[in-house]
Amino acid sequence: MVRGLTPVVCRRMGLSAAAPLWGAPGLLLTIALLLALSLHPAQTWAPVHRDYCVLGAGPAGLQMAYFLQRAGRDYMVFERAPGPGSFFMRYPRHRKLISINKRYTGKTNAEFNLRHDWNSLLSHDPRLLFRHYSDAYYPDASDMVRYLSDFAERLGLHVLYNTTIAHVTLNKDRRAWNGHYFILTDHRGQAYQCSVLLVATGLPVPNQVDFPGSEYVDGYESVSVDPKDFVGQNVLILGRGNSAFETAENIFSVTNFIHMLSRSRVRLSWATHYVGDLRAINNGLLDTYQLKSLDGLLESDLTDLAIVKDHQGKFHITLKLFMEAGNQSSDAIPLPQDDNDNFAMRVAYDRVIRCLGWKFDFSIFSKSLRLSSGSELSKKYPLVRASYESKGSRGLFILGTASHSVDYRKSAGGFIHGFRYTVRAVHRLLEQRHHGVAWPSTEHPITHLASAIIRRINEASGLYQMFSVLADVVLLKENATIFEYLEEFPMQMLAQLETITGRRARHGLFVINMEYGRNYSGPDKDVFFSDRSVGHMEDAWLSNFLHPVIYYYRHLPTEQEVRFRPAGWPLPRPSALHHVVEDFLTDWTAPVGHILPLRRFLENCLDTDLRGFYAESCFLFALTHQKLPPFCQQGYLRTQGLVGTESLRQHGVESGLLWDSAIMGQRQGASEQQPGNHRPGGHPLAPGPPVSPFNSNKEEL
């Protein structure tokens, strides 16, 4: 055998390892083999296996890499650019992000502060908060690139840069957990085999509309960002999203006028409560339109239009049906103003700019993956379930902006401050499915239920940002004396909760969600009407602004119940429902307005009393009732008093109500060393510490 050719390589070449290669014929064969190997390197024949493959080192890809690394999993991130966050190296074109960087809230609670930090990813390192990277409320995109680079480097994430995945397909294999592996092939021809594929490539392809004359249009991705190039020009912008208004904001001070054309009316984010709609930072053109300063907005279906270029290089808007009448010269094509001299766009334009948003790149994925159905929404986003797993291929998950079909125009799942939590939910699902690690939860006595819910609705960022998508779930244990608290579970997967989380839901459950009022959000809504605020707890169900809603189910809903839930409801109709009245400060801690109604709702659902009591009250209950309140069961009858915590004990020490056990131990040791200071049996002569007032079963207020 030729030196350097292993038996494996020989077999791959179709030769026996013992084949005679010496002599003249053998020498020629050796030369031919070496030439073949040089043209087809050996590594292309053996796919590199990874349990988890992540496509894209943007925010979603790095967030998933962080969770995989912390769990000690076998993974690799593939990124075509030389560094992370390549989208932000170019976009937005005018470099100002619309994700807020609120550095001051008056609070020190890190979880609460994330509610108003729309750029940070989740990690254990406090240095990796975006407020350390920019002082601006609307940061520059270059700060995001720097932040993502530090995030990947400091956490030591496994990212393979300068690697473009050119093709993704399936390889059927009965040894795989789902019957197939995902095969990724890069631009060098190297193949990678993955058990689970996590796609975080974003929406990199600009939306385009094909109509006669569309070749004359400048795209948002390539148009000049220098206002000097638009001085004294008439400009038409196709589109009505943030990229369109961002472009207009950059040039409207130097143009003659800007007309903006789209098929639908403008959608203002403060009216729709959807952060992807038009933000106030970019809407200066609305002022100049409504205050009649030449700029304007028009509605029409772009597919019905056509653009004609005249001999002076000016662009005219006409109808497609006029273009289809025959092959005519540009000067002979009919224009709408020929019949209607009041046609809105009868003026000629110097520039036409396309700003129609983005869509997912399906081109690298084999049709066998079935990522798209051809519907209008699935042309923009891949088809995924509420668990973010592909509907066409088990084991393929869509993360980040590309997963936004789950909550499109509803919540924040297409943006960092939303998908950092949906990515974590996907990771928790994978941990249970493949490694038997149950969804994280905490157990508490039932008397702590109201306080646990109050804490989460006042602090949790995932609930606050992913409203009506992610919800906390409280699982009741037998006899409802203990509950299990799960955070940020995908609401529409509630029927599969036991499978996804590894937890049992056999004795009832509560679902804690954040919601806007049913008829308060929409492009045509007046969100500033005079009676918009609800302040009385009796009218809590009429609350308009974002507020907590608690659903109670005696049994886990079925898949059919979730699927055919009432229109506009995030969940099936529950056994009982409670709205916590909206609060101007989003601070739901008012004893009478917030906590008392919540506690009474929980008590009605559980048919029990969740209050705390004095010992005398528990004694009286024991004499006169067959069923005691849980507080008395857990404390008085077990002679345990209040369920204490270290912080509660420390508070008692600092207030002088308790003795510090550590100091008492030192004193006791010293007294034992003094002769004559002992009672029979070795007990210290000095009296013991006073009885703790926390053991007297005083009522919680």
Side-chain angles (χ1 to χ4, degrees):
M1 186 172 64
V2 177
R3 182 177 299 174
L5 290 181
T6 66
V8 174
V9 173
C10 291
R11 285 195 298 271
R12 286 176 179 159
M13 297 300 296
L15 300 172
S16 167
L21 299 178
W22 302 108
L27 182 59
L28 292 175
L29 183 56
T30 300
I31 294 173
L33 283 172
L34 291 175
L35 287 174
L37 287 173
S38 65
L39 292 175
H40 304 282
Q43 63 264 28
T44 63
W45 296 329
V48 177
H49 181 82
R50 289 286 181 267
D51 290 342
Y52 298 95
C53 292
V54 183
L55 290 189
L62 295 183
Q63 185 68 88
M64 177 54 78
Y66 168 76
F67 291 125
L68 291 172
Q69 179 134 321
R70 292 282 286 180
R73 306 307 174 199
D74 175 42
Y75 78 95
M76 180 60 69
V77 181
F78 301 91
E79 171 56 49
R80 62 182 178 182
S86 59
F87 181 87
F88 296 100
M89 295 178 185
R90 183 172 178 81
Y91 303 107
R93 293 295 312 284
H94 304 91
R95 308 310 291 150
K96 182 175 286 189
L97 300 175
I98 60 174
S99 48
I100 66 174
N101 178 39
K102 191 170 181 61
R103 301 172 67 232
Y104 303 103
T105 65
K107 301 289 183 69
T108 58
N109 183 284
E111 179 70 12
F112 174 87
N113 288 338
L114 278 173
R115 287 184 169 187
H116 310 287
D117 174 355
W118 291 10
N119 299 286
S120 294
L121 297 178
L122 304 177
S123 80
H124 63 282
D125 190 342
R127 297 174 301 171
L128 292 174
L129 291 172
F130 195 83
R131 61 186 177 87
H132 300 308
Y133 288 79
S134 175
D135 295 336
Y137 193 76
Y138 294 107
D140 191 274
S142 59
D143 294 327
M144 176 60 72
V145 175
R146 184 164 54 92
Y147 170 75
L148 295 176
S149 179
D150 282 1
F151 190 89
E153 183 177 351
R154 286 185 181 178
L155 297 173
L157 305 182
H158 304 158
V159 185
L160 198 59
Y161 295 112
N162 297 306
T163 302
T164 300
I165 298 300
H167 188 62
V168 181
T169 188
L170 288 178
N171 180 30
K172 299 291 184 180
D173 194 321
R174 288 182 295 178
R175 294 171 296 177
W177 69 273
N178 53 0
H180 59 255
Y181 289 111
F182 299 97
I183 304 299
L184 284 58
T185 306
D186 68 15
H187 63 289
R188 305 180 190 89
Q190 173 65 59
Y192 302 88
Q193 178 179 276
C194 316
S195 297
V196 176
L197 178 59
L198 302 151
V199 179
T201 53
L203 304 176
V205 180
N207 279 321
Q208 301 191 39
V209 176
D210 186 19
F211 56 82
S214 59
E215 65 272 16
Y216 301 130
V217 174
D218 292 321
Y220 170 80
E221 66 279 5
S222 58
V223 71
S224 171
V225 295
D226 186 353
K228 294 179 181 179
D229 293 336
F230 300 88
V231 173
Q233 292 188 354
N234 305 341
V235 178
L236 175 65
I237 296 178
L238 307 180
R240 193 155 297 168
N242 280 294
S243 62
F245 277 89
E246 169 204 333
T247 302
E249 195 80 13
N250 183 54
I251 63 175
F252 79 130
S253 62
V254 300
T255 59
N256 295 335
F257 59 79
I258 296 176
H259 289 168
M260 192 172 287
L261 181 65
S262 178
R263 66 181 176 182
S264 59
R265 60 169 294 166
V266 66
R267 298 175 58 92
L268 300 168
S269 61
W270 43 260
T272 63
H273 302 115
Y274 171 59
V275 296
D277 285 334
L278 178 60
R279 304 287 300 286
I281 186 178
N282 287 327
N283 68 11
L285 193 76
L286 297 182
D287 267 6
T288 58
Y289 169 43
Q290 288 296 328
L291 299 178
K292 301 308 295 178
S293 188
L294 299 181
D295 302 320
L297 276 64
L298 297 159
E299 286 79 40
S300 178
D301 192 333
L302 300 182
T303 58
D304 293 335
L305 302 180
I307 297 177
V308 178
K309 185 176 182 181
D310 65 21
H311 63 280
Q312 294 180 341
K314 302 284 187 177
F315 302 110
H316 300 267
I317 304 301
T318 186
L319 300 178
K320 184 191 294 186
L321 61 89
F322 291 165
M323 300 286 290
E324 296 170 349
N327 295 324
Q328 307 174 38
S329 66
S330 59
D331 293 333
I333 294 176
L335 299 176
Q337 56 263 37
D338 295 339
D339 295 324
N340 179 9
D341 59 5
N342 194 33
F343 178 58
M345 292 186 290
R346 59 185 179 273
V347 67
Y349 297 97
D350 298 291
R351 303 285 285 269
V352 181
I353 305 172
R354 167 182 43 77
C355 302
L356 300 174
W358 310 88
K359 62 183 179 181
F360 185 75
D361 184 5
F362 293 93
S363 64
I364 67 171
F365 297 94
S366 167
K367 291 184 178 180
S368 61
L369 296 173
R370 295 179 294 172
L371 279 178
S372 175
S373 68
S375 66
E376 191 63 30
L377 186 61
S378 71
K379 291 179 181 178
K380 182 179 178 71
Y381 297 107
L383 286 172
V384 296
R385 306 180 190 278
S387 61
Y388 302 95
E389 188 168 19
S390 167
K391 291 184 177 181
S393 301
R394 193 155 190 253
L396 192 161
F397 290 83
I398 307 296
L399 309 177
T401 303
S403 69
H404 197 27
S405 61
V406 172
D407 64 310
Y408 181 57
R409 286 186 170 168
K410 297 177 183 176
S411 197
F415 311 89
I416 292 176
H417 61 292
F419 66 61
R420 61 191 176 194
Y421 301 107
T422 61
V423 169
R424 182 163 65 183
V426 170
H427 177 256
R428 288 170 172 172
L429 181 155
L430 294 172
E431 285 292 293
Q432 162 61 18
R433 176 185 289 181
H434 299 294
H435 310 287
V437 179
W439 196 283
S441 70
T442 55
E443 282 195 3
H444 308 273
I446 200 67
T447 51
H448 289 189
L449 179 56
S451 60
I453 294 175
I454 288 293
R455 181 183 66 83
R456 285 288 294 170
I457 63 177
N458 281 287
E459 296 178 0
S461 177
L463 288 183
Y464 194 81
Q465 296 298 355
M466 290 305 297
F467 56 89
S468 297
V469 178
L470 298 181
D472 286 0
V473 179
V474 171
L475 303 179
L476 300 173
K477 298 299 184 179
E478 190 172 4
N479 298 324
T481 58
I482 297 175
F483 69 90
E484 195 171 13
Y485 203 105
L486 283 67
E487 298 177 359
E488 297 161 15
F489 182 81
M491 294 177 65
Q492 293 182 36
M493 298 302 294
L494 190 61
Q496 291 85 41
L497 181 139
E498 292 187 332
T499 301
I500 291 175
T501 65
R503 307 291 180 182
R504 305 295 291 274
R506 300 300 170 86
H507 305 286
L509 64 152
F510 292 95
V511 180
I512 298 93
N513 180 38
M514 303 288 280
E515 298 177 14
Y516 280 95
R518 294 290 164 86
N519 297 307
Y520 189 55
S521 303
D524 58 343
K525 299 297 183 181
D526 175 14
V527 295
F528 298 111
F529 67 95
S530 58
D531 297 327
R532 63 187 179 274
S533 176
V534 174
H536 299 289
M537 56 185 179
E538 296 87 353
D539 300 322
W541 65 282
L542 295 173
S543 294
N544 287 312
F545 208 72
L546 193 66
H547 64 284
V549 182
I550 294 91
Y551 296 72
Y552 171 64
Y553 296 94
R554 293 188 178 89
H555 306 284
L556 192 65
T558 65
E559 290 189 36
Q560 187 174 13
E561 288 172 337
V562 173
R563 182 178 180 184
F564 296 104
R565 62 188 181 275
W569 286 56
L571 287 173
R573 195 176 299 277
S575 304
L577 182 69
H578 178 70
H579 289 256
V580 180
V581 68
E582 66 180 64
D583 187 78
F584 181 73
L585 302 175
T586 61
D587 179 13
W588 292 281
T589 57
V592 176
H594 301 135
I595 298 175
L596 181 60
L598 172 63
R599 196 198 75 207
R600 287 177 173 170
F601 166 75
L602 299 175
E603 289 175 340
N604 287 335
C605 293
L606 300 173
D607 190 25
T608 191
D609 193 327
L610 297 179
R611 293 176 295 171
F613 295 92
Y614 289 104
E616 293 87 348
S617 299
C618 288
F619 177 71
L620 182 61
F621 277 127
L623 294 177
T624 58
H625 290 70
Q626 291 183 347
K627 180 182 178 182
L628 271 66
F631 181 88
C632 295
Q633 294 178 22
Q634 297 165 4
Y636 176 75
L637 291 186
R638 298 179 184 178
T639 66
Q640 292 179 354
L642 288 173
V643 179
T645 64
E646 177 59 26
S647 61
L648 195 63
R649 188 199 66 80
Q650 186 63 31
H651 176 71
V653 172
E654 292 172 354
S655 62
L657 298 175
L658 283 176
W659 287 66
D660 191 319
S661 57
I663 296 177
M664 286 301 301
Q666 294 174 3
R667 290 180 179 177
Q668 178 180 343
S671 65
E672 288 175 351
Q673 296 175 7
Q674 298 295 326
N677 284 347
H678 292 83
R679 288 179 176 175
H683 294 286
L685 295 175
V691 176
S692 166
F694 294 101
N695 290 332
S696 61
N697 289 317
K698 288 190 175 181
E699 179 177 359
E700 286 184 350
L701 298 179

